[in-house]
Amino acid sequence: MSPKQQRGEETADRLLDAALQVYAESGEQGVTVGALTKTSGVSLGSLYHHFGSVDGLMNALLLRWLGRLLAELSASVERSRTARTGIRSLVRAYLKFIQENPDAARLLHSSYADRLGMAQARQLRDAQEARLSPMTAWMQRHVDSGEVAPLPMPLIEGLVLGPVVATARRWLSGFDDVDLDQAARVLPERIWRSLVP
C-alpha cells in the first residue's frame, strides 16, 4: 500500500470511529457534518471524498460492524462439531459481542439500521455474502445430516437469531430486567429445541 493510500485509509477509519462516537453520544439526530468533522479532525472535503455523504459514512459504519459481528458468529459455529454446540456457541458469541461493543450494537439494532435494512436488504446481504455463506453452509450440513429439521434456511435463521436479537435489543434499550449471562445459558437450549427434527 502506498503512503497516500495508507493516509486515505487512516482518514476513513478516523471518520468511521468518529461517526460511532457521535452516534453513541448524540444519537442519530446528532450525526451531522459539523459533529463528524469536529470529532474526527477531518475536513468536510475528506468526508465527502471517502463516503460521498453522511449517509454514505453511516452505511459504511453499519457494514463495518455488521461484518465484524458476522465474522465472530461464523467463527463460533465453524469451531463446533455438532449443530447443538454450534447454536450454543453462536448465541454466546452474539451476546458477548453485544456486551463488548454496546455502542456499535446499539447502531446495529437501531431504527436507522432497520430502515437501511428494509431499503437495501439485497445489497446488504450481497455485501456480507462472504461472511454469511459459511454459516449457511454449516447449517445446511446439519440439515442434510438430519440433525436439524428440514426447514427453509430463512426460517432457521429466524428461529436461531430472533430470540437473541430480541434479547439484545431489550438489553441495549436499558431495561434492567435482562441478564445477558443468564440469556447465554438459557437461550441456546430453547432455540435448539425449536430446531430438532
Side-chain angles (χ1 to χ4, degrees):
M1 181 183 300
S2 74
K4 183 178 180 179
Q5 289 171 318
Q6 188 172 354
R7 283 191 307 275
E9 194 171 292
E10 289 168 0
T11 298
D13 284 343
R14 277 204 324 269
L15 282 162
L16 288 164
D17 292 342
L20 183 59
Q21 180 183 340
V22 169
Y23 180 85
E25 292 170 358
S26 306
E28 184 180 342
Q29 301 306 316
V31 181
T32 64
V33 170
L36 292 168
T37 55
K38 180 180 178 184
T39 302
S40 68
V42 172
S43 71
L44 175 64
S46 289
L47 186 155
Y48 285 110
H49 170 74
H50 288 285
F51 299 102
S53 65
V54 172
D55 280 341
L57 172 61
M58 292 305 289
N59 291 349
L61 182 63
L62 277 166
L63 287 174
R64 170 193 252 193
W65 282 99
L66 179 59
R68 290 176 180 177
L69 172 60
L70 292 175
E72 297 223 3
L73 297 181
S74 183
S76 74
V77 297
E78 286 299 325
R79 292 188 299 261
S80 303
R81 290 187 315 123
T82 68
R84 189 177 199 167
T85 59
I87 297 302
R88 182 181 320 122
S89 294
L90 185 140
V91 170
R92 290 179 178 170
Y94 196 110
L95 295 176
K96 180 180 178 190
F97 182 91
I98 299 303
Q99 285 180 304
E100 291 178 351
N101 305 286
D103 293 339
R106 279 186 190 85
L107 176 63
L108 288 173
H109 294 83
S110 68
S111 59
Y112 178 84
D114 288 345
R115 286 193 309 274
L116 180 66
M118 294 297 283
Q120 300 178 15
R122 185 163 305 282
Q123 295 95 323
L124 285 171
R125 192 151 189 101
D126 289 349
Q128 298 302 324
E129 187 61 34
R131 291 186 175 96
L132 288 168
S133 292
M135 283 192 291
T136 302
W138 177 86
M139 185 58 78
Q140 190 61 55
R141 286 193 305 271
H142 292 290
V143 170
D144 293 344
S145 74
E147 193 178 359
V148 172
L151 301 169
M153 204 52 65
L155 292 182
I156 291 175
E157 184 180 310
L159 289 169
V160 173
L161 291 178
V164 184
V165 170
T167 300
R169 282 181 186 262
R170 189 166 179 88
W171 184 80
L172 290 165
S173 296
F175 286 94
D176 60 1
D177 61 349
V178 176
D179 178 341
L180 290 186
D181 293 328
Q182 180 187 30
R185 289 189 306 272
V186 173
L187 285 178
E189 188 60 28
R190 300 293 178 155
I191 292 168
W192 173 246
R193 289 181 199 168
S194 71
L195 298 174
V196 175

